[in-house]
Amino acid sequence: MDSNPSSSANLLQRRRLLGLGALSALSLAAPGVWAQALPASLNNGRLIVVFLRGAYDGLSAFVPYADKDYYALRPNIAIAAPDGTAQTAIKLDRTFALHPALAPLLPLWQQGVLGFVPAAGLPAPNRSHFDAQYQMEIAQGGKTSSAPGWLNTTAGIGKPSPAGAVALGVGEANPAILNGQASVVRLIPRGQSAERTGVLANERTRQALMDLYAGDDKVSEAFRQGAGSRMQSAQELTEQRTARTEKMAQDAQRMADKSLDRDGAPANAQALKAQMLAASNGAADPVGLQLDAQHLGTLMRNDRKLRLGFLSAGGWDTHANQGAATGQLANNLGNLARGIAQLRQDFSEPGDVVVVMSEFGRTSAENGTRGTDHGFGNAMWLMGNRVAGGRWHGVWSGLSQLNEGRDLPAHHDYRAVLAQVLRGTFSFGDTQLADVLPGAKWDKRLDGLFLKA
């Protein structure tokens, strides 16, 4: 061993720099990896947050078809009132209907596990995407400096039990909602990249890095932890995809064999679709929310210590050519529906809750380019067995009384909705809610949002 203090210091500095470089290289495949003990409070159910970045149009998702002002404000992009055909909204009750692209979610509404709050949002309008998203992720208003994300704070509530992970983020490298001292155990990239191991795929390279970071210093420990988590996640997801692909191919082949005509081609549309799926070898849209939801479900099912999950989807800023029953927004809503339906498959235990939120809504009136601009109030979705679903909750005042004459009002602070979720899912008391959602007030108008245990 070199006894020269200067040489030792240089070696340590070199290892730190190499560690940062190696972790940076890993981050291309696995954006970040940290560890956190499991809080005793998080002992019932799991909470999944889906953030729609760009401000989705809640008035198209949940159509206020009974409000004549809706059609007056949107002569070109309104979703037609329900009449039972594919190009019109799907009736939910006497006030709201579902966008036809969200049809896969209708059974969840009918089963009573999907509900929404139609007019929620920030305490005061903020039409900057970046500011509004940040405020919602830290659950505080007017913050310009660093603050912990509210999911991160949730992870730190309660006394830690034996070592384990509590939170998992899929897609984003560093979402503010998960930032903080009680950091997540895993952050994995979007789509099929989640199954790749980056520089760790080469065995010789992996072993060389492990030898380099075999020490007890923090950089070495962080690297080994990150590498192990990355390899584990990739292996679990690859095994899951392989099994799913094999079953899909077998099912498709059986269907095709029974449906071939004399020329060896599928004889009907159903068989043709099955054959096309088999030919794709199980590949899904690499940027699809459904695939990310599958990855989240696989990893959280394999590790029961994971209690908090985060997904996000962009592309909701529809200033022009928004479309109505078909078009840009309809395509996004269709992808969202498939993602939410996938989440329901994996998170349907009694205490599981899925929340869908966005930084703000869209203007109630369409603009000159047949789109909508930045608004205020918006619909927040909730899904779970304990959600009082099959109905909407809170205040709805229609579209005749708008905020500043242009936006849907936010009758409920979004944090009041989250307070109901945290109490209903994890039995958080007033002190715990104040830690996670500082400055928020309990909103009794939402007290029916969750069924009593």
Side-chain angles (χ1 to χ4, degrees):
M1 178 179 293
D2 191 342
S3 60
N4 187 316
S6 176
S7 177
S8 299
N10 289 338
L11 177 60
L12 180 59
Q13 179 66 13
R14 177 175 174 271
R15 290 187 63 201
R16 286 176 175 170
L17 290 174
L18 284 171
L20 293 174
L23 288 173
S24 177
L26 272 177
S27 70
L28 296 176
V33 184
W34 297 271
Q36 165 64 28
L38 176 66
S41 320
L42 306 188
N43 53 10
N44 292 308
R46 297 165 293 180
L47 171 60
I48 310 301
V49 176
V50 181
F51 203 112
L52 306 182
R53 298 194 185 277
Y56 89 102
D57 182 25
L59 292 176
S60 287
F62 300 102
V63 182
Y65 73 95
D67 192 326
K68 60 179 175 51
D69 291 315
Y70 172 72
Y71 294 98
L73 291 166
R74 298 184 168 199
N76 297 294
I77 66 169
I79 313 302
D83 69 2
T85 63
Q87 295 300 308
T88 65
I90 303 168
K91 184 177 179 179
L92 297 178
D93 60 17
R94 296 180 179 180
T95 305
F96 290 102
L98 200 64
H99 191 289
L102 295 175
L105 302 183
L106 180 61
L108 302 179
W109 176 270
Q110 295 169 333
Q111 293 163 20
V113 297
L114 176 66
F116 66 98
V117 178
L122 293 164
N126 185 327
R127 296 189 177 91
S128 162
H129 289 298
F130 308 104
D131 290 347
Q133 287 179 24
Y134 183 65
Q135 288 182 25
M136 278 198 165
E137 291 183 81
I138 64 172
Q140 300 181 53
K143 287 283 184 179
T144 56
S145 59
S146 179
W150 68 265
L151 267 184
N152 184 281
T153 306
T154 300
I157 295 293
K159 296 179 180 179
S161 62
V166 296
L168 173 66
V170 177
E172 293 187 38
N174 197 29
I177 197 170
L178 292 175
N179 277 346
Q181 292 182 348
S183 295
V184 299
V185 67
R186 295 182 191 171
L187 285 169
I188 65 173
R190 188 179 304 278
Q192 294 178 343
S193 296
E195 298 178 17
R196 302 180 186 128
T197 54
V199 296
L200 297 175
N202 183 285
E203 184 176 354
R204 292 183 64 183
T205 302
R206 181 172 65 251
Q207 188 58 53
L209 289 170
M210 289 301 185
D211 290 343
L212 181 62
Y213 298 104
D216 296 329
D217 57 281
K218 292 184 178 180
V219 171
S220 295
E221 291 175 358
F223 180 85
R224 291 196 305 272
Q225 186 176 44
S229 178
R230 183 64 192 141
M231 295 294 291
Q232 177 187 348
S233 296
Q235 181 179 357
E236 290 176 8
L237 294 174
T238 300
E239 290 174 352
Q240 179 78 6
R241 178 176 59 82
T242 300
R244 190 167 59 245
T245 298
E246 290 176 353
K247 184 178 186 303
M248 183 183 299
Q250 292 170 359
D251 292 344
Q253 188 61 53
R254 282 194 295 267
M255 180 179 293
D257 288 344
K258 294 179 180 179
S259 308
L260 295 179
D261 63 18
R262 280 181 288 182
D263 295 325
N268 56 57
Q270 186 178 11
L272 177 62
K273 182 177 180 180
Q275 191 179 71
M276 291 173 65
L277 284 172
S280 297
N281 199 27
D285 184 345
V287 296
L289 186 64
Q290 184 177 9
L291 181 58
D292 290 343
Q294 286 179 354
H295 289 164
L296 187 78
T298 296
L299 295 173
M300 293 186 74
R301 184 171 60 251
N302 290 349
D303 185 352
R304 296 297 300 183
K305 294 186 294 295
L306 290 166
R307 295 292 183 183
L308 304 171
F310 177 73
L311 293 171
S312 63
W316 301 96
D317 200 16
T318 51
H319 287 284
N321 301 316
Q322 177 172 307
T326 60
Q328 176 188 176
L329 179 61
N331 292 337
N332 284 346
L333 290 174
N335 287 327
L336 176 62
R338 287 183 283 276
I340 299 302
Q342 178 66 46
L343 288 175
R344 177 59 186 172
Q345 290 184 32
D346 290 314
F347 301 97
S348 57
E349 295 181 5
D352 294 345
V353 176
V354 176
V355 176
V356 181
M357 57 192 296
S358 192
E359 66 263 35
F360 44 71
R362 315 295 301 181
T363 48
S364 299
E366 66 180 64
N367 59 27
T369 56
R370 298 192 176 187
T372 51
D373 298 317
H374 298 177
F376 185 26
N378 206 356
M380 288 182 68
W381 314 20
L382 295 101
M383 179 175 69
N385 290 355
R386 291 199 57 212
V387 172
R391 59 193 179 100
W392 53 273
H393 297 263
V395 175
W396 171 257
S397 57
L399 299 177
S400 61
Q401 301 177 0
L402 299 176
N403 172 67
E404 299 180 357
R406 53 171 276 160
D407 307 326
L408 184 68
H411 291 303
H412 302 279
D413 188 330
Y414 75 98
R415 296 173 299 177
V417 180
L418 296 177
Q420 295 275 348
V421 171
L422 293 172
R423 178 159 291 178
T425 307
F426 302 135
S427 300
F428 276 10
D430 291 345
T431 300
Q432 294 167 315
L433 291 177
D435 289 340
V436 178
L437 309 168
K441 297 180 179 179
W442 188 261
D443 190 339
K444 293 183 178 180
R445 299 172 296 174
L446 298 172
D447 277 354
L449 195 53
F450 279 78
L451 302 173
K452 293 183 178 180

